[in-house]
Structures are given as structure tokens and as C-alpha cells.
Amino acid sequence: MKVLIVGAGPAGSTAAYYLAQAGIDVTVLEKTAFPREKVCGDGLTPRAVREIQKLGLPHSEDAGWRRNKGLRLIAGGRTIELPWPEVSDFPTYGLIRTRLGFDESLARHAESAGAVVLERHSVTSALQDDDGRVIGARAAVLDESGRKTGETRDFLADVVLAADGNSTRTAVSLGMHKRDDRPLGVAVRTYFTSPRHDDDWMEGWLELPGKSGKPLPGYGWVFGVGDGTSNVGLGILNSSKEFGKLDYKQVLREWTAGMPAEWGFTPENQVGEIRGAALPMVFNRTPHYSPGLLLLGDAGGMVSPFNGEGISYAMESARFAAGFLVDCSSRSASAAWSTHDADAHLSRYADYVRDQWGSHFTLGRAFAFLIGKPAVMKLALRTGMPIPVLMRFVVRLLANLTDSSAKGFEDRVIRVLEMLVPPTSNTSPALARKAAGSDTAVSAPTS
């Protein structure tokens, strides 16, 4: 089996590592050159750290990885520090690592396992055979400045993994567009030279006070990077009435202008420009499997509406996809194993992803709707912030940190909540109508 991966971000490089480690021929096309920057809060929750551990990726503090204890939440004049929960399925620490270093570390880790990573190859479209099956991708070759050289290259493969982020040219070239019935977020961030760079808590502002004293929409964060800078940013959901009507960069400027001067979040201490990105949430691009193509991470809208977390789900989706592909590769050695059999097996990837996160995302959609209502948000914060035990439960729900055995009280409550709601579908509306009334039992990949 030959696999082509579009994008060398967390999803693409994770899948490449697992596939190469299993002896599968895998090539990754990355449009930029490492090291390269991505708009992100740089914060990795224990859910993402678990994936890093599974990969065997070294992440010592000496190498630029900064550990943190948990979340510091600020709202309504109150501050509460909540350590990451002690659950058997996850580590008890988070990490801060800029995408400048994180993504390159993952890509080099994949190369160490035998994957081929080709930088400066910008995929423009998927390639299909006469039956519409995806059989590869076409890429424009870029020069060192990122401009097109005029050369294009076609790469053929048995299976293509689209891990090319929110804009995913691979999926868009096949007519897979975003769904408007799913939450969408926007995040902006920048860096400041600050004495808070060595803070060992991930700080979340659930209310954003503006210069005028009027609350600003959205939520904010301050993450100490440990290199002399802090990552400061904010996010807003499209459930807010202000969504799409504001200059988000200006909102960030107003918020930081009201912070204590000794923190150093001032224009003269700003490092780099304010940059923004969309957060594709709740399976907002589907289907996640079509003949010859799987969508991973942001390309498939795998971002949680609870907290805007996408890296952990990107890496998990990559691990799931690799498991199905390795299993499929081993079965294809049988003469009786046909392309139809392979498609049937790989299509289970979409169902498996839905079963893993579908109910959690459904709860998240309701959460996104509620926090878009200022009165509801204000009441929730006034009620919850004074009660640490309630906020600890909220953190576990938002970060999706529950034990699979669900033995603890908080685990059981979260499991019951997820059982009470239908899992969010990750099937395209057309396919959903076609498959109405049918359901297929799904088991985890064997590898």
C-alpha cells in the first residue's frame, strides 16, 4: 500500500509516523518549509500530551517544551486555579510549545520512522480516476521564498489523507465545502516580551474587560512560552451576536491595554504581528471518508466547541486513520481482498471518529449556543466561579478528560450527559439522507 498525506501539521505528521513505523510507503507534502509558524495558542492539554507520549516524541523542558500544572480561570473578579485532574487515561500535566518548534519536531519524528516529507509542495487539487476515486494529488513546487516555480508534480497513491487544515484544498477541489450548520470560531493571537513568560499555569479569561469597562465578546488566554515571551490571544464563536462584526485584532488590543503595566503586554513589547485563524468545529466538513480519501483534523472540522482545542483531536484522528490503514494493508495481502472490501473497511474510520467524539461535540454545540448569550454566560459564571468543585467538573468536561472506565462520580456524570444526546453526525447531508434508517456497528481498528 502507498499512502499520500497532504499537510505536515500535527495530523499529517502523526499519521505519517504510525504508517512508516508499520512499514507502509508514505509521502507527506507540506506547502511551506520548516520551521514555520501557525496561528495557535500553543497550549497542549493532557489530551494532546497523551498523543505525544504514544508517539514516543521526546518533550523535555531542555528542548523547549514547558510543562504546566493546570488552568487558572479568571472571571467576575475571581481567580481560581484548577490542577489537571488525576485520571488513569491521561497524564497530569499540559505543555506549552510554539507551533514553530512543535510541528517541525513532529515532521522530523515521522522522517525518523521512514516517512518521506517533501517541503514546499503546495497541493492544488486531488487526482481522481474515471470512477471518481481519489488516486493522488497534484502539487505546485515552490521556491525558497514561497513563490510558485511553474513546476507541478503529480503524486499517485492507493489512499490520500487530507491533513491540510481548515482551508484544505484537497477536499475543496472535490466539492467538499464547509457546513453552515456547525459552530465556527475565530482566534487571534500575538506574543509579548513579558516577565510572565515562565508562568506554569495556562490562564483563561472567561470575561474580557475592555478599556471602557464594557465586557468584550469571547474568551482570552495568556500562556507563558518560557522563552521570554507570552502567547496572548482571544477567541470568539459565531454564536455571539458580535461575530463577524468586529475587528478582532482591535478587541485584542483593547483587552491587553487594560492589563497591569508590569505584565508588559504593550505595543512596544509586542513580538510579531497579531495573526488570526478560523477554528473549524464539530465535523464541519464531511464526509470523512470517500473512496480513496480520508479527512483528518481541521480538514474534517475536528475542533471542540468547548475550548477550541484541535491539536489533540487532529493527532487522535491520525492515529485512528493509521490504524485502519495498517489493518487494511495487512488484509489486502489476501487474493480475496478487493478494492470494494478496502473501501468498506476504511469507511469505518468515519463511524469510529463519530463514536469517539460525536456525543461530546453535540454537548459542545449546546454549550457554544449558550455562551453566545451574554446573560446566560454572566449567570453561569456568577454561579460557578465561587464553587471550585463545580469548576473542576467543568474543566474536565470542556477538556474531555474522563476515564474510559467511568468509575468516578464526575466521569459517570459526563458519560450520562453524553448518553443523553445523539452523536453529531459526520456524514454529509446527502449521504445522511441516502443512509437514513441504516446503522453499522463499528469496531476499533485492530492495529
Side-chain angles (χ1 to χ4, degrees):
M1 175 181 286
K2 187 171 185 177
V3 177
L4 180 68
I5 301 177
V6 183
S13 291
T14 296
Y17 174 82
Y18 284 121
L19 292 170
Q21 190 182 50
I24 292 177
D25 184 348
V26 56
T27 298
V28 186
L29 304 181
E30 168 56 40
K31 69 177 180 180
T32 59
F34 293 108
R36 56 106 163 97
E37 192 176 17
K38 287 287 185 179
V39 176
C40 185
D42 300 334
L44 302 169
T45 70
R47 192 172 189 95
V49 176
R50 180 184 67 172
E51 296 307 309
I52 291 171
Q53 291 177 334
K54 286 181 178 292
L55 278 173
L57 180 68
H59 52 282
S60 68
E61 295 210 46
D62 291 342
W65 301 79
R66 181 165 180 78
R67 291 196 180 196
N68 57 71
K69 300 175 181 178
L71 290 178
R72 177 190 297 123
L73 300 179
I74 299 174
R78 293 178 179 269
T79 299
I80 183 172
E81 292 181 343
L82 302 166
W84 294 118
E86 295 185 7
V87 290
S88 60
D89 286 354
F90 299 97
T92 56
Y93 63 94
L95 291 169
I96 301 294
R97 176 69 161 159
T98 68
R99 294 291 296 274
L100 197 69
F102 178 53
D103 287 17
E104 182 170 19
S105 295
L106 283 173
R108 302 309 176 215
H109 195 56
E111 286 181 322
S112 72
V116 175
V117 179
L118 299 179
E119 300 172 36
R120 301 191 185 94
H121 281 68
S122 179
V123 167
T124 56
S125 64
L127 300 175
Q128 296 175 280
D129 63 16
D130 293 339
D131 295 324
R133 181 183 187 83
V134 174
I135 57 172
R138 176 165 296 158
V141 180
L142 309 181
D143 62 21
E144 293 186 0
S145 63
R147 291 190 290 264
K148 292 182 179 180
T149 63
E151 178 187 358
T152 61
R153 298 179 64 186
D154 287 350
F155 295 84
L156 301 180
D158 298 300
V159 179
V160 175
L161 306 185
D164 43 353
N166 176 55
S167 59
T168 180
R169 292 186 180 180
T170 310
V172 170
S173 72
L174 298 170
M176 298 181 186
H177 297 290
K178 296 177 185 177
R179 297 180 57 160
D180 295 331
D181 61 338
R182 303 293 161 86
L184 179 70
V186 170
V188 295
R189 67 97 176 99
T190 191
Y191 296 90
F192 293 97
T193 301
S194 171
R196 297 197 56 195
H197 74 97
D198 58 355
D199 192 349
D200 50 11
W201 293 86
M202 292 174 63
E203 186 170 281
W205 292 59
L206 305 182
E207 289 182 321
L208 302 181
K211 288 190 302 183
S212 65
K214 181 181 179 181
L216 300 169
Y219 65 94
W221 66 80
V222 178
F223 298 161
V225 180
D227 62 355
T229 67
S230 293
N231 181 316
V232 184
L234 62 86
I236 185 171
L237 292 168
N238 63 353
S239 57
S240 169
K241 65 180 181 180
E242 291 93 348
F243 187 85
K245 302 176 183 178
L246 295 173
D247 179 344
Y248 304 118
K249 295 181 180 180
Q250 183 59 30
V251 173
L252 179 60
R253 294 187 190 101
E254 291 184 19
W255 175 44
T256 53
M259 292 182 176
E262 60 268 24
W263 292 359
F265 299 155
T266 59
E268 55 268 25
N269 289 336
Q270 186 175 320
V271 180
E273 61 183 315
I274 299 175
R275 303 183 63 191
L279 302 176
M281 298 176 172
V282 193
F283 304 147
N284 80 332
R285 196 184 310 273
T286 54
H288 288 152
Y289 179 76
S290 53
L293 179 73
L294 288 80
L295 305 187
L296 276 56
D298 285 14
M302 299 177 192
V303 174
S304 170
F306 276 117
N307 60 358
E309 181 175 8
I311 290 177
S312 66
Y313 297 103
M315 296 178 74
E316 285 181 68
S317 70
R319 175 163 57 88
F320 299 154
F324 279 104
L325 284 165
V326 171
D327 196 22
C328 186
S329 178
S330 64
R331 298 186 187 203
S332 65
S334 168
W337 188 255
S338 66
T339 300
H340 175 76
D341 293 326
D343 281 337
H345 184 73
L346 293 178
S347 68
R348 296 179 181 176
Y349 160 76
D351 295 329
Y352 189 70
V353 168
R354 180 202 62 202
D355 288 350
Q356 293 296 305
W357 311 320
S359 293
H360 182 74
F361 282 177
T362 297
L363 289 175
R365 292 173 74 179
F367 174 81
F369 174 78
L370 290 174
I371 66 172
K373 310 298 180 184
V376 174
M377 185 65 173
K378 186 175 182 179
L379 176 62
L381 292 175
R382 186 185 303 131
T383 303
M385 284 296 287
I387 308 175
V389 66
L390 176 59
M391 295 307 294
R392 283 195 293 270
F393 170 79
V394 170
V395 166
R396 291 191 65 175
L397 176 63
L398 268 58
N400 201 4
L401 298 175
T402 59
D403 274 329
S404 57
S405 58
K407 293 180 179 178
F409 175 74
E410 293 172 333
D411 296 304
R412 293 198 301 270
V413 172
I414 292 173
R415 293 299 183 199
V416 168
L417 287 174
E418 292 184 349
M419 289 173 60
L420 292 175
V421 298
T424 295
S425 171
N426 60 355
T427 304
S428 69
L431 289 179
R433 289 191 295 269
K434 182 177 180 181
S438 66
D439 192 16
T440 303
V442 179
S443 57
T446 58
S447 57

